[in-house]
Amino acid sequence: MSSDEGSVLESGHVLIVCTGNICRSPYIERVLAHELAGKGITVSSAGTGALVGAPVDVQSASRITGAGAVADEFAARQITRDIVAAADLVISATRDHLSTVVPLYPRALRYSFALHDLGDLLTDVTEADIEATAGANRVAKVAAAAIAKRGTVSPRLAEDSGIIDPFQRDAPAFDQMVAEVSESLPAVVSALRGATASQVDRGL
């Protein structure tokens, strides 16, 4: 195995968290995994109050397939300490979700972010910034680069910091969810796969 192959195989694990694990986090999980295909990065999701065993909500599923990703073979799961501990980066739909994530595994405070906050922190991060950080893999290094930007990026107001929960709502709420995710996910994709933001704007 070449060193390049090894780096791909050990590129890390991203965990996406929302409440029920059937609307927001599956959408982010599957779209992010699609955008990172071939990079050796694992993406999974869980919920703080998961509808355990449930498939992706049909409205989210249609938007996942619309983004070119795959929505099937999914079952919602409840977040646990082991799930958080196995991640190199935790991305939540809202800041409130982190109040459940971090107590499960306090070390996760160093690699857990609400999506909008993470996108803001990574917007101006360069490849040199990422390479200069300590981390066991690409995902861990991106998390460390985001942490390094804290204190230099003004945080959003609380009302602007979360992704809308469209659960049991109509189609416009799901469209708003997609739009809000699309605001911040390109910067995350860019940092994780080492591309420029303009290269990941399509379809997000």
Side-chain angles (χ1 to χ4, degrees):
M1 178 186 297
S2 71
S3 59
D4 287 344
E5 288 171 336
S7 64
V8 168
L9 290 173
E10 300 169 0
S11 293
H13 178 201
V14 182
L15 173 67
I16 314 298
V17 178
C18 72
T19 305
N21 192 211
I22 63 169
C23 297
R24 291 172 290 181
S25 55
Y27 176 79
I28 298 169
E29 172 200 332
R30 293 304 175 90
V31 173
L32 181 58
H34 175 69
E35 291 295 324
L36 297 176
K39 294 297 183 180
I41 295 173
T42 301
V43 187
S44 65
S45 63
T48 59
L51 301 176
V52 176
V56 181
D57 182 280
V58 293
Q59 292 269 19
S60 281
S62 69
R63 286 156 180 80
I64 289 170
T65 57
V70 177
D72 58 4
E73 297 184 5
F74 180 90
R77 60 178 184 162
Q78 178 66 27
I79 197 165
T80 66
R81 181 187 186 279
D82 287 347
I83 289 173
V84 177
D88 297 295
L89 171 63
V90 177
I91 304 174
S92 64
T94 72
R95 291 171 181 167
D96 286 346
H97 292 117
L98 299 179
S99 65
T100 298
V101 170
V102 174
L104 289 172
Y105 188 69
R107 290 182 184 178
L109 181 64
R110 297 290 298 174
Y111 57 84
S112 299
F113 310 82
L115 175 60
H116 281 327
D117 292 330
L118 180 60
D120 292 345
L121 291 168
L122 293 176
T123 294
D124 294 324
V125 165
T126 66
E127 187 64 20
D129 293 332
I130 295 169
E131 289 301 320
T133 64
N137 53 55
R138 177 72 183 192
V139 176
K141 291 173 76 68
V142 167
I147 285 287
K149 290 293 184 179
R150 282 182 173 169
T152 67
V153 176
S154 298
R156 295 182 180 224
L157 297 175
E159 58 267 29
D160 298 323
S161 66
I163 305 299
I164 185 176
D165 185 359
F167 180 59
Q168 294 186 332
R169 299 178 67 178
D170 56 10
F174 284 85
D175 291 337
Q176 183 178 344
M177 174 197 75
V178 170
E180 291 178 359
V181 170
S182 299
E183 178 185 343
S184 295
L185 197 59
V188 178
V189 174
S190 175
L192 288 171
R193 78 179 188 190
T196 63
S198 62
Q199 289 176 297
V200 298
D201 282 337
R202 67 186 191 286
L204 293 179

